[in-house]
């Protein structure tokens, strides 16, 4: 799981929430919007768990989150 951000040509910022299986490089999901509140990210993660099964591990930088599911 990773969060990214970019800026459109008109100056507005967009946020991206990506979930990638590092073993086979399969993209499991992506959310893109101008704002990604924690509740929406949590709902998306639950949806992905229902579709693909539990994540064995999830690591991110210390400033974001680090969990074992």
């Amino acid at each position: 799981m990773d969060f990214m951000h970019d800026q459109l040509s008109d100056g507005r910022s967009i946020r991206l929430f990506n979930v990638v299986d590092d073993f086979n490089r399969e993209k499991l999901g992506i959310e893109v919007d101008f704002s990604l509140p924690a509740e929406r990210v949590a709902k998306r993660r639950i949806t992905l768990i229902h579709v693909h099964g539990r994540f064995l591990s999830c690591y991110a930088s210390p400033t974001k989150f680090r969990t074992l599911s």
Side-chain angles (χ1 to χ4, degrees):
M1 284 193 248
D2 192 22
F3 292 92
M4 298 172 57
H5 64 90
D6 203 354
Q7 192 170 32
L8 301 175
S9 60
D10 63 4
R12 294 182 295 168
S13 292
I14 58 170
R15 311 276 189 255
L16 298 94
F17 171 60
N18 302 300
V19 181
V20 178
D21 182 343
D22 287 335
F23 180 73
N24 62 10
R25 305 302 297 163
E26 177 185 5
K27 180 162 283 290
L28 303 177
I30 185 170
E31 285 284 322
V32 180
D33 207 339
F34 295 107
S35 174
L36 291 174
E39 184 177 297
R40 185 168 168 194
V41 171
K43 284 181 183 178
R44 181 64 169 158
R45 185 171 184 261
I46 290 168
T47 301
L48 290 171
I49 289 170
H50 286 292
V51 173
H52 297 285
R54 280 180 50 139
F55 303 128
L56 294 178
S57 62
C58 171
Y59 297 99
S61 71
T63 58
K64 295 180 185 168
F65 55 87
R66 180 179 181 209
T67 62
L68 292 174
S69 295

